Amino acid sequence: MKVFRSHLLICGGTGCHASGSLNVKKALVAELIKRKLSEEIKIVETGCNGFCAMGPIMVVYPEGVIYMLIKAEDIPELVEEHLIKGRILERLLYREPTTEEIIPTMQEIPFFALQELRVLRNRGLIDPEKIEEYIARDGYQGMAKALTEMTAADIVQEVLTSGLRGRGGAGFPTGLKWKFAAASPGDVKYVLCNADEGDPGAFMDRSVLEADPHSVLEGMVIAAKAIGSHNGYIYCRAEYPLAISRMNIAIAQAKDMGLLGRDILGTGFDFDLEIYQGAGAFVCGEETALMTSIEGKRGMPRPRPPFPAIAGLWQRPSVLNNVETLANIGQLILRGGAWYASVGTERSKGTKVFALTGDVNNVGLVEVPMGTTLGTIVFDIGGGIPKGKKFKAAQLGGPSGGMIPMQHLNAPIDYEKVAELGAIMGSGGMIVMNEDSCAVDMARFFMDFCQDESCGKCTPCREGTKRMLQILVNITQGKGKEGDIELLEEMAPIIKDASLCGLGQTAPNPVLSTIRYFRKEYEDHIRNHRCNAAVCTALFKSPCQHTCPIEMDIPSYISLIRANRMEDAYKVLLRTNPFPSVCGRVCDHKCQTKCRRGKMDEPIAIKFLKRFITDNAPRPKTEPVPVTRNEKIAVVGAGPAGLTAARDLALRGYKVTVFEELPEPGGMLRWAIPAYRLPRNILANEIADVTALGVEIKCNIRVGRELSFTKLNKNYDYVYMAPGAHKSQKMGVEGEDIPGVRGGVEFLRDFNAHEDAWVKGEKTLGSKVAVIGGGNSAIDAARVALRLGADVTILYRRERKDMPAADEEIIAAEDEGIKIEYLVAPLKIEAKDGKVSGITCERMKLGEFDRSGRKKPVAIPGSAFTLAMDAIVASIGQVPDLTFVPKDCGVSVNKWDCFDLAKGSKSQTTDARFYAGGDAVTGPDTVIGAIAAGHQAARDMDAAIRLAGGEPAYEEPAEEKIIIPLIIDEEGEEAPQGKMPELHGPDRRASFVEVELGFSMEDAVKEAARCLRCDAEV
Amino acid sequence: MEKKIPITIDGREVEAAAGQMILEVARENGIFIPTLCHYPGTTKVGACRVCVVDVEGARSLVASCCMPVSPGMIIRTDTKKVRDAQRLIVELLWASGDHNCLTCEQNGNCDLQNLVYWLELETPRFSIQFPKYKQETTNTMISRDLNKCILCGRCIRACNEIQVNEVLDFSKRGSRAKVGPAFDADYIDSECFFCGECADVCPVGAITFRQSRFKGRPWEIQKVKTTCTYCGVGCQMDLNINNGKIVKVTGNRDYSQPNGGSLCIKGRFGLDFVNHPDRLKKPLIRKEKGGELTEASWDEALELIAKKFSEIKKKDGADSIAGLSSARCTNEENYLFQKFMRAVVGTNNVDHCARL
Ligand code: SF4
Ligand code: SF4
Ligand code: SF4
Ligand code: FES
């Protein structure tokens, strides 16, 4: 045999063909000839590697280096570098999506490393058009064993022992199927291979046929011997031309070698087969429909019994197995059933191939042992979700499967578990969905597929799926009605129960599983016309506006920027938001997460544009509003929630008094967020507008201290309580009460109250500070401590991507020189002389997934270590302080120290005259969440007052008409989000001057022009 | 058939023969299970699913029309689950068609209508949406209004399996599925033989007989069993009579031999001659050469024939007379006729049009 110094295995699967592997191969051949290397280096075209999204792929042996996304132009360089100079060409290697780490060899890439290849064992290794290569890898040995050493009963027994279950969907034990067909009398029997892969996104069968066609033939011959058949068909969809051509080549080669046809291996056993090309109807994957189709009739299922084992194709005993099942057989027989059963779970043995697609980094074919957890497949093999989005659910089992949500990431995937969770194994399609998928819309999508593919024979499937689809379409279009969910729930089990074949019997699964796990989304669509994923476009004008908790009219003000009409833009901002310049700086900008531009390149910098308006236009003047109503209203807490409610109520003519415990209004905006993020005058200006309306703010008054709760109750007709959450949560570790251990918000509050003293050094943390936590206030505390001259380390118990703090804040902290230790949790605060001397921590590793879809950190035993520290700031979360509410006053407080709301209300407490909102209801949330709560409370209080007085509902005064220009760029070119100019240099680390400098006019207009104007009705 | 498989239906222990379907056994024992797609003598397709029953231990409901009995089966035809499924199915069919019974020819003789009533349905939970197909009135024999079609497929099986004319099949998929001749042609443009079998088996008003449109409600019609006069086969049929007139001819599966309820185009659609004004009802005699034919009584006519035949026979011998009989006569009539020619007239000159 000829020896080559190197083998280049270039992928020739359909995926890589489509991405250009044939051209790459051509270029390679030319280059090797040019450099006279053809005699030293051999090119082999293999079948699909399963990593199609990264194609064209090429593996260089003996090193095992894998190159991806190769273009023909790369070839000269690749040959020069790798094959001549012996240097790996880094730019074509794999990069870990989360860590960006470069991984040269196939074995080390988690996508490949964590798989267990049985069905796909030859993928990428052999040339599928050369039978010798299959034989060299133990091919046809299982068949030889079956034909020469085993009786039919032995074979059946071996397959029974293996526990192999049909991989086409239903999971019926393969051995049992064969046993029935073997026992069925008749001299003409058929072995059929189902290669009518119809699930959108599933391509494991195609891949096997293309990469390892002989494995299927071998399986079929063994099956034939087991049941006593001499004829077979492979039913393959005509859309798989490459698979068909490779199968045909394989059949011809096998016949030539006496491995198929008459007198196989001289044993006297005959088996011949043909390929039958199906026209691609989904229902033809159903076994009886498939047989009817081979018979030349309309592919419609027929009732069972009679079962195919008794009367199948042409009424003869038949066995139908799918490609993946058959591809398992050769090895199973060669190595024995016990070997096969050595991996898997109790009742699901062996491995399963999944087609991993959707919102996942590594799209491709994945073969893992049964019982591998969903989380392992999606996160470890699949590399997690692109763009840092959150995992929502995986649709398992194709369009008639079910969705498995986040809380089941630890579920071991096998037939039993999958059924228990409301999905099906199906042929192994796994579509990953991130937080931007709408459950109702997904259900609609899959139902649309099923109703379209219904053959129309039986009533429940034909008419039932159509009507279910209509209901779903209505819901996604905002035309849903009360009772729709219940009607779907009534229909689904009947359709499953009464339909003739598997299509109808499974079609309602996506609906049932989404109702099961995402019922609230259905209700939100129907009752509130809300699609939180911002997918169902009929429900909103633009996804950003829909996602903003106060539904700011984002496209309008963006277009006004583009038109350079800043004053109008400011007016648009103030329509919904009393604090636009605050939000322009510190909002967590949920709107941007759903910005449609983000699907193309990056979302619009909505927050920065908002700030740009308030920085660059004069603030519209606020006129006082005369008091026209008799009811007196008190607001407790002058934070964003309280002030928003006060403002809205004042606008409606109420007399409002706000009580604030601290010396100045603003709540967290004033007392927690540092000035370098939100300058004081900016906040003060916006609060001044609230007082200008006529709202009275009384500071230094804590209810329950300066003003008794009884008095508040007596002197005011209605009370809105929004005291926020200003108390740090305890860490629950030893030494927490030693002086020098502070809560995050307590520290920030003290600093903001006594900034001078801190800056002058009259107050100090010490020189080494540890901040515990990963939220925004932890980062705030750390950056303030840094500005006070400390050496700061943040300790966080999870990974960076799990940090709740805004990404830009984390980056800023790192830029400023703050160290962040991940996967570390405090154990004990060390003290010396009654003062903090350090902190002992434990290292964590990631364990199972928790309900939030993140991996739970678990302590590594014996990993404790101590860091010397002068101060500890514990910022792991905040709780409200509601001690001012008397126990028996009728306003109930729950076990999380938050207000309980009256049933069905979004703001009323359990006492009808008391309303509450903001962090004191939800626990620590965002500024914009608090503003939304304030709006809500004002609306609810006003409505309740009017209802009690028998008055008509409040009517908003007519808005000033502002014409919004519509300029849409036809062909938007890809362009990233504009960068916020920042303060740099030593100034930044040492001062409390605002870090973000604001967009220039040019930046802003350019950014505004990126907006796709989703609101436009064209 | 020897009854030997014991099963329980609705608490009653009954015996069934091997290979019998649940539906059959239930019917034999007077237990009603509704059906729509089921049609005796054709393939069991299990399509409509209204015949579902609850079988203990089965993982889903079971279509009784195509599920063979097995020993010890415990079946319930009346559980809530069964009724819920039947209701949903019937509501779905109702809402998917233009079931305006006011004008429907099948009103009062419709399986769907009966089922709606039997299930005590007031109104479907779904809005009525039918496909708005054009009604087919391009031939004089069969009308089709597929807006009323419930896609049971009975017409297809009747056409392919009973008549073996192989004209009808399904086209399209899912809720767009449609029955009819190839290429969605009208019957008149297809290979259709107009045997009317499809109209006879259609459980609803989708395929109906054109001639009888507005000619009488099912309850006004009187059915009279008769033998078709067209040929010697002797097909048994029901004349549907209203006000003394034949409005249509229907098959009847209960009349087993020789046609088992099937008819051909002539028997089905050719009997309108009965009431035709040109039809001869009395014998005519031409009394003088060149004169008019005038009505006569049967006695007069037969007497004249006997007299003339006797004269001819006497003058020229019996073989100068020949007899020719019609294929529309029955075998018995033909037998009598040749007997008459041979024994009475005395000649073997007897023949029949069917050998032409
Ligand atoms: S087919 Fe039946 S249900 Fe439909 S309109 Fe006619 S009588 Fe009524
Ligand atoms: S009339 Fe007869 S031949 Fe014509 S479609 Fe109907 S059943 Fe078939
Ligand atoms: S036309 Fe009549 S018999 Fe034919 S499928 Fe429709 S309802 Fe059934
Ligand atoms: S009568 Fe049984 S399925 Fe239609």
Side-chain angles (χ1 to χ4, degrees):
Chain A
M1 210 169 103
K2 198 158 169 197
V3 180
F4 294 91
R5 77 164 155 97
S6 228
H7 283 80
L8 308 180
L9 274 60
I10 179 146
C11 182
T14 293
C16 283
H17 272 185
S19 52
S21 69
L22 286 177
N23 279 338
V24 171
K25 187 178 164 190
K26 236 188 269 161
L28 208 50
V29 172
E31 191 68 21
L32 291 188
I33 292 174
K34 194 169 125 199
R35 300 192 180 240
K36 307 204 167 47
L37 289 172
S38 310
E39 292 299 302
E40 283 172 52
I41 294 166
K42 185 172 177 189
I43 302 171
V44 180
E45 186 177 333
T46 69
C48 177
N49 274 283
F51 209 17
C52 311
M54 288 303 205
I57 283 175
M58 183 176 82
V59 188
V60 185
Y61 282 99
E63 303 92 310
V65 171
I66 178 165
Y67 291 108
M68 307 190 174
L69 298 170
I70 312 169
K71 288 194 237 28
E73 304 89 86
D74 298 327
I75 293 304
E77 187 186 354
L78 190 83
V79 171
E80 167 80 25
E81 287 293 307
H82 192 130
L83 299 171
I84 294 179
K85 302 207 176 119
R87 289 193 299 232
I88 288 172
L89 183 58
E90 279 210 1
R91 66 177 180 87
L92 294 178
L93 296 178
Y94 176 77
R95 245 169 229 275
E96 240 299 301
T98 38
T99 58
E100 294 269 301
E101 186 195 347
I102 289 177
I103 307 180
T105 64
M106 198 156 175
Q107 322 55 291
E108 286 167 310
I109 296 175
F111 177 80
F112 293 108
L114 293 167
Q115 297 193 43
E116 155 114 17
L117 301 186
R118 288 184 169 188
V119 171
L120 305 177
R121 68 189 184 97
N122 286 334
R123 76 164 176 203
L125 289 180
I126 62 167
D127 180 339
E129 299 186 3
K130 297 218 169 80
I131 190 168
E132 298 81 3
E133 300 200 4
Y134 178 69
I135 293 173
R137 301 258 311 151
D138 294 349
Y140 287 112
Q141 285 200 31
M143 179 185 92
K145 182 172 165 192
L147 293 188
T148 57
E149 297 168 25
M150 296 169 85
T151 64
D154 291 343
I155 301 172
V156 168
Q157 188 50 51
E158 207 59 58
V159 178
L160 280 171
T161 308
S162 76
L164 173 63
R165 295 167 63 173
R167 296 292 189 245
F172 190 80
T174 306
L176 220 48
K177 212 183 219 186
W178 291 14
K179 191 170 164 182
F180 292 148
S184 187
D187 36 339
V188 177
K189 297 185 185 180
Y190 295 100
V191 171
L192 310 174
C193 168
N194 187 347
D196 188 57
E197 195 167 43
D199 289 10
F203 58 103
M204 52 283 279
D205 291 352
R206 192 198 72 213
S207 178
V208 170
L209 295 176
E210 286 176 6
D212 203 7
H214 289 284
S215 67
V216 178
L217 298 183
E218 181 175 2
M220 287 182 79
V221 178
I222 297 171
K225 161 97 190 223
I227 71 160
S229 152
H230 304 291
N231 289 292
Y233 286 94
I234 297 172
Y235 187 91
C236 185
R237 49 179 44 224
E239 292 98 322
Y240 284 179
L242 184 60
I244 292 171
S245 108
R246 294 219 170 123
M247 277 319 285
N248 277 325
I249 293 171
I251 291 172
Q253 290 178 346
K255 280 189 182 167
D256 264 4
M257 289 206 153
L259 298 170
L260 196 63
R262 298 201 68 81
D263 190 17
I264 299 175
L265 290 172
T267 58
F269 184 75
D270 303 334
F271 181 73
D272 209 344
L273 56 77
E274 257 176 68
I275 297 176
Y276 189 96
Q277 296 191 30
F282 184 61
V283 74
C284 286
E286 198 277 343
E287 63 176 0
T288 59
L290 185 148
M291 294 178 198
T292 321
S293 175
I294 296 182
E295 287 168 11
K297 302 187 205 128
R298 181 179 160 95
M300 279 215 203
R302 57 166 180 73
R304 287 171 304 185
F307 288 96
I310 311 295
L313 182 62
W314 285 301
Q315 302 300 308
R316 306 293 190 161
S318 307
V319 144
L320 174 74
N321 288 122
N322 102 318
V323 170
E324 189 184 335
T325 313
L326 290 166
N328 268 307
I329 299 294
Q331 289 289 303
L332 188 163
I333 292 296
L334 182 63
R335 304 189 184 205
W339 164 80
Y340 189 82
S342 65
V343 301
T345 60
E346 173 80 37
R347 290 174 56 202
S348 304
K349 300 294 184 197
T351 58
K352 176 78 196 93
V353 182
F354 294 98
L356 191 60
T357 58
D359 302 320
V360 61
N361 277 314
N362 300 335
V363 168
L365 280 191
V366 166
E367 182 174 3
V368 288
M370 286 279 187
T372 303
T373 68
L374 180 61
T376 306
I377 301 175
V378 174
F379 286 91
D380 299 334
I381 298 175
I385 318 299
K387 295 195 178 179
K389 295 271 180 183
K390 260 172 102 178
F391 173 81
K392 177 168 186 162
Q395 169 82 10
L396 187 54
S400 54
M403 279 183 216
I404 304 185
M406 191 159 78
Q407 60 265 37
H408 293 300
L409 279 168
N410 295 320
I413 301 300
D414 68 7
Y415 287 102
E416 285 69 37
K417 190 70 189 176
V418 163
E420 181 193 317
L421 295 177
I424 58 172
M425 189 69 84
S427 58
M430 190 182 274
I431 305 172
V432 179
M433 285 168 265
N434 69 16
E435 53 187 310
D436 294 342
S437 308
C438 165
V440 189
D441 186 63
M442 288 318 287
R444 178 204 59 77
F445 174 81
F446 292 127
M447 188 53 85
D448 194 12
F449 180 88
C450 290
Q451 72 93 33
D452 196 53
E453 291 291 345
S454 164
C455 79
K457 182 169 181 176
C458 79
T459 320
C461 173
R462 180 185 69 236
E463 304 297 337
T465 57
K466 180 176 92 185
R467 296 298 175 151
M468 285 185 82
L469 174 66
Q470 284 177 355
I471 298 171
L472 291 166
V473 167
N474 280 342
I475 297 178
T476 57
Q477 294 184 343
K479 290 181 265 173
K481 305 185 295 293
E482 280 306 322
D484 277 354
I485 305 177
E486 291 71 19
L487 181 54
L488 289 172
E489 283 178 316
E490 277 168 46
M491 295 174 76
I494 298 179
I495 294 171
K496 287 182 68 154
D497 217 22
S499 288
L500 170 62
C501 86
L503 202 165
Q505 285 162 7
T506 54
N509 282 336
V511 178
L512 282 177
S513 77
T514 46
I515 294 181
R516 172 168 165 188
Y517 296 117
F518 304 103
R519 191 182 192 101
K520 201 173 158 305
E521 279 185 44
Y522 280 80
E523 290 169 352
D524 260 356
H525 280 73
I526 297 172
R527 297 192 189 139
N528 311 324
H529 289 202
R530 286 207 54 86
C531 172
N532 283 338
V535 168
C536 300
T537 47
L539 301 185
F540 50 78
K541 274 166 58 188
S542 65
C544 50
Q545 177 170 17
H546 192 64
T547 308
C548 172
I550 58 169
E551 299 195 35
M552 294 194 76
D553 190 355
I554 296 160
S556 292
Y557 66 72
I558 290 186
S559 84
L560 289 168
I561 295 179
R562 204 173 169 186
N564 199 3
R565 285 165 52 196
M566 300 306 162
E567 277 178 65
D568 282 342
Y570 212 148
K571 285 182 194 156
V572 170
L573 295 180
L574 287 173
R575 278 180 182 167
T576 46
N577 191 345
F579 297 105
S581 50
V582 168
C583 289
R585 291 173 163 82
V586 299
C587 185
D588 68 329
H589 52 72
K590 296 184 178 54
C591 50
Q592 293 181 199
T593 62
K594 299 285 184 280
C595 171
R596 201 164 291 146
R597 178 87 200 200
K599 299 216 156 58
M600 180 175 154
D601 39 49
E602 286 176 343
I604 306 296
I606 298 172
K607 181 176 100 166
F608 298 162
L609 289 177
K610 188 183 295 122
R611 170 174 166 184
F612 178 80
I613 298 169
T614 63
D615 281 354
N616 290 279
R619 190 170 175 95
K621 210 169 145 24
T622 309
E623 302 294 341
V625 175
V627 174
T628 53
R629 306 218 36 120
N630 298 325
E631 299 84 359
K632 288 201 305 177
I633 296 178
V635 170
V636 180
L643 292 177
T644 303
R647 165 203 183 249
D648 288 5
L649 289 164
L651 283 170
R652 293 171 186 224
Y654 291 96
K655 172 81 193 113
V656 188
T657 314
V658 182
F659 297 102
E660 169 58 53
E661 176 185 355
L662 294 167
E664 275 177 47
M668 284 286 183
L669 302 176
R670 170 69 183 79
W671 298 103
I673 298 181
Y676 63 83
R677 280 175 67 202
L678 177 57
R680 299 290 167 240
N681 61 328
I682 298 284
L683 174 65
N685 285 343
E686 302 213 299
I687 296 177
D689 270 5
V690 178
T691 46
L693 285 171
V695 171
E696 189 182 356
I697 304 179
K698 295 189 168 172
C699 290
N700 291 317
I701 296 185
R702 178 181 165 94
V703 175
R705 197 173 61 201
E706 283 78 19
L707 171 70
S708 75
F709 196 81
T710 331
K711 250 200 178 148
L712 179 78
N713 190 356
K714 216 170 81 207
N715 294 354
Y716 293 90
D717 298 299
Y718 289 86
V719 180
Y720 179 53
M721 297 178 291
H726 290 260
K727 211 167 80 183
S728 282
Q729 232 164 26
K730 293 273 181 203
M731 294 183 289
V733 301
E734 199 188 322
E736 196 158 5
D737 300 320
I738 301 168
V741 181
R742 292 177 176 78
V745 277
E746 285 80 1
F747 162 60
L748 289 166
R749 187 157 65 235
D750 196 76
F751 166 77
N752 284 317
H754 310 285
E755 192 172 328
D756 261 4
W758 281 94
V759 171
K760 284 195 196 121
E762 288 158 21
K763 289 185 160 223
T764 173
L765 288 170
S767 63
K768 282 177 79 72
V769 176
V771 176
I772 324 293
N776 277 328
S777 25
I779 307 274
D780 282 345
R783 290 177 74 189
V784 168
L786 175 99
R787 281 166 171 73
L788 294 174
D791 172 32
V792 186
T793 309
I794 293 177
L795 305 176
Y796 181 55
R797 62 195 190 108
R798 298 177 184 259
E799 284 185 297
R800 156 118 189 214
K801 65 174 168 33
D802 297 328
M803 273 187 139
D807 213 33
E808 55 266 32
E809 292 299 310
I810 306 172
I811 295 171
E814 285 172 332
D815 284 354
E816 288 167 7
I818 291 168
K819 295 185 283 299
I820 308 182
E821 292 264 5
Y822 298 100
L823 291 168
V824 166
L827 261 186
K828 182 175 175 229
I829 312 292
E830 305 292 341
K832 215 163 127 193
D833 310 329
K835 272 177 43 206
V836 170
S837 66
I839 182 167
T840 300
C841 306
E842 236 176 344
R843 296 241 175 250
M844 299 291 191
K845 64 168 192 268
L846 294 175
E848 296 204 322
F849 292 86
D850 63 13
R851 295 186 68 85
S852 71
R854 300 179 296 178
K855 283 188 180 173
K856 222 185 288 174
V858 282
I860 303 174
S863 66
F865 62 99
T866 304
L867 298 169
M869 289 291 160
D870 300 320
I872 307 294
V873 179
S875 194
I876 59 166
Q878 300 94 41
V879 282
D881 170 12
L882 301 186
T883 48
F884 70 94
V885 183
K887 281 252 152 7
D888 44 4
C889 71
V891 175
S892 95
V893 172
N894 60 31
K895 62 174 184 227
W896 299 281
D897 273 330
C898 292
F899 288 111
D900 264 340
L901 294 184
K903 208 165 178 270
S905 172
K906 288 181 181 143
S907 61
Q908 194 178 44
T909 67
T910 46
D911 179 330
R913 286 173 50 240
F914 286 81
Y915 287 73
D919 291 358
V921 169
T922 55
D925 191 18
T926 55
V927 181
I928 195 68
I931 297 174
H935 282 317
Q936 179 75 44
R939 273 197 306 273
D940 292 352
M941 291 167 84
D942 180 47
I945 292 168
R946 286 167 192 271
L947 188 71
E951 298 169 59
Y954 173 72
E955 257 182 62
E956 300 264 352
E959 273 178 356
E960 181 192 340
K961 187 117 187 80
I962 298 174
I963 303 212
I964 307 298
L966 180 64
I967 318 164
I968 302 176
D969 300 327
E970 274 309 317
E971 223 28 75
E973 266 177 36
E974 275 199 34
Q977 192 181 80
K979 289 257 170 310
M980 172 56 91
E982 286 182 357
L983 190 68
H984 285 294
D987 282 2
R988 169 161 158 184
R989 288 193 51 172
S991 84
F992 289 89
V993 176
E994 188 166 22
V995 170
E996 296 184 341
L997 302 174
F999 271 172
S1000 68
M1001 185 69 194
E1002 194 191 335
D1003 293 339
V1005 171
K1006 198 167 142 210
E1007 186 63 19
R1010 291 177 66 236
C1011 174
L1012 302 173
R1013 293 303 303 275
C1014 308
D1015 63 320
E1017 284 166 29
V1018 271
Chain B
M1 226 189 300
E2 203 194 318
K3 305 263 168 190
K4 47 178 179 307
I5 295 183
I7 61 171
T8 311
I9 309 182
D10 291 347
R12 278 172 54 193
E13 287 175 19
V14 298
E15 294 222 301
Q20 264 191 311
M21 302 296 144
I22 296 173
L23 175 70
E24 249 178 295
V25 183
R27 288 198 171 163
E28 279 174 13
N29 288 282
I31 296 167
F32 177 71
I33 297 175
T35 57
L36 286 172
C37 69
H38 176 73
Y39 199 81
T42 64
T43 309
K44 297 174 176 62
V45 289
C48 73
R49 315 303 284 178
V50 295
C51 68
V52 287
V53 294
D54 231 330
V55 174
E56 223 177 84
R59 75 184 162 86
S60 62
L61 292 172
V62 155
S64 62
C65 68
C66 49
M67 177 56 79
V69 292
S70 57
M73 243 185 191
I74 300 177
I75 297 150
R76 291 223 66 103
T77 70
D78 56 0
T79 60
K80 177 171 181 318
K81 205 163 146 197
V82 168
R83 288 292 176 267
D84 282 350
Q86 288 169 332
R87 276 195 199 102
L88 179 67
I89 291 165
V90 171
E91 280 177 80
L92 286 168
L93 289 174
W94 180 357
S96 68
D98 178 20
H99 296 291
N100 176 4
C101 306
L102 290 176
T103 67
C104 182
E105 206 50 52
Q106 284 299 94
N107 182 15
N109 187 24
C110 168
D111 288 356
L112 180 62
Q113 197 186 46
N114 291 343
L115 209 41
V116 167
Y117 197 84
W118 183 73
L119 289 168
E120 302 179 11
L121 296 173
E122 296 281 358
T123 154
R125 278 171 283 181
F126 312 98
S127 61
I128 308 273
Q129 291 167 7
F130 52 87
K132 309 218 164 58
Y133 296 130
K134 206 164 79 17
Q135 294 195 18
E136 182 176 325
T137 50
T138 43
N139 69 76
T140 54
M141 290 163 272
I142 297 174
S143 309
R144 290 197 306 155
D145 177 3
L146 293 184
N147 298 305
K148 292 184 167 54
C149 171
I150 57 170
L151 293 166
C152 66
R154 273 157 71 153
C155 51
I156 296 174
R157 277 170 283 139
C159 184
N160 294 289
E161 299 177 18
I162 298 179
Q163 291 280 355
V164 203
N165 286 341
E166 303 189 324
V167 173
L168 299 181
D169 205 341
F170 288 106
S171 60
K172 310 237 173 75
R173 247 193 347 227
S175 55
R176 297 172 311 284
K178 194 177 176 187
V179 295
F183 310 114
D184 215 3
D186 279 5
Y187 275 13
I188 196 73
D189 301 320
S190 74
E191 298 296 305
C192 173
F193 292 75
F194 291 98
C195 64
E197 196 77 28
C198 52
D200 227 359
V201 302
C202 180
V204 294
I207 311 183
T208 51
F209 296 110
R210 182 98 191 268
Q211 306 149 308
S212 58
R213 181 74 178 136
F214 298 129
K215 295 281 162 45
R217 300 296 214 171
W219 55 88
E220 295 168 334
I221 279 172
Q222 205 197 335
K223 290 199 178 182
V224 177
K225 178 180 179 184
T226 192
T227 305
C228 181
T229 58
Y230 269 108
C231 78
V233 173
C235 290
Q236 301 299 292
M237 54 165 71
D238 278 336
L239 301 180
N240 290 231
I241 307 212
N242 186 19
N243 273 333
K245 290 220 165 95
I246 299 172
V247 298
K248 65 178 169 188
V249 177
T250 49
N252 190 331
R253 301 281 170 218
D254 293 340
Y255 307 158
S256 52
Q257 295 305 327
N259 55 326
S262 295
L263 296 172
C264 78
I265 181 170
K266 291 184 283 177
R268 177 83 67 186
F269 298 108
L271 278 136
D272 48 355
F273 72 86
V274 172
N275 295 320
H276 199 278
D278 291 351
R279 179 178 161 202
L280 285 185
K281 291 179 184 145
K282 296 223 172 95
L284 301 175
I285 299 176
R286 201 184 316 272
K287 295 234 169 99
E288 54 203 73
K289 207 165 183 180
E292 286 289 303
L293 283 165
T294 50
E295 269 189 15
S297 74
W298 280 107
D299 282 351
E300 253 181 281
L302 290 172
E303 220 154 276
L304 179 67
I305 292 166
K307 198 176 116 219
K308 292 264 175 187
F309 273 32
S310 304
E311 283 169 20
I312 294 167
K313 184 175 166 186
K314 205 183 262 160
K315 187 165 161 252
D316 296 317
D319 280 343
S320 61
I321 300 174
L324 188 66
S325 137
S326 163
R328 294 178 61 173
C329 296
T330 62
N331 280 347
E332 292 80 354
E333 287 161 341
N334 277 311
Y335 174 78
L336 289 173
F337 183 72
Q338 62 80 30
K339 231 1 174 210
F340 168 78
M341 289 306 289
R342 291 197 169 106
V344 179
V345 180
T347 177
N348 286 331
N349 290 343
V350 56
D351 213 336
H352 182 282
C353 70
R355 65 183 290 265
L356 295 176

